[in-house]
Amino acid sequence: MKVIMDVDTGGDDAVAMLMAGHAPELELVAVTVVHGNAALPTTLRNTLATLEAGGLASVPVYAGAERALQDRLPPRGVTQGRELSLPDPVMTPQEKHAVDFLIGYYMGTTDETILMPIGPMTNIGL
């Protein structure tokens, strides 16, 4: 089963990506990243670092929305908004925006691919 994950990577999203990426019954097609748990530069860095450290550097990553649609987010807890304690990644995100990737992918395929949002659904809303 093919899966695309939409994340705002903190610890919980990192675990979910690693589980999906290494599950024999799943094919992690791509990961799209959104602002949420932290600002986009932090969630993007956390996503890239997690995939690379977890042996999933071949999974393409697309940066998405930099802010919420209504500019309102609930208060963050003390564990949110932080970089994960992983080495800085060498891998880089794809040039295409996450929203453009999602539109192009789903308009151009007949494969059944599950979109798995774990963070705010701003990329999907856009």
Side-chain angles (χ1 to χ4, degrees), residues 61-117:
V61 174
Y62 297 86
E66 295 182 31
R67 61 182 181 84
L69 291 176
Q70 296 183 350
D71 281 335
R72 288 187 224 152
L73 289 173
R76 291 187 180 133
V78 294
T79 61
Q80 294 178 313
R82 296 183 180 180
E83 286 188 359
L84 297 177
S85 297
L86 293 169
D88 286 332
V90 174
M91 66 184 288
T92 58
Q94 303 296 308
E95 290 186 25
K96 188 179 283 191
H97 191 278
V99 174
D100 295 327
F101 163 73
L102 290 170
I103 292 168
Y105 181 86
Y106 282 104
M107 295 297 288
T109 187
T110 57
D111 292 344
E112 183 175 322
T113 305
I114 295 173
L115 180 56
M116 188 182 301

Side-chain angles (χ1 to χ4, degrees), residues 3 5 29 32 45 51 65 75 77 89 93 108 110:
V3 174
M5 298 182 80
V29 173
T32 55
R45 183 248 176 231
L51 292 173
T110 57

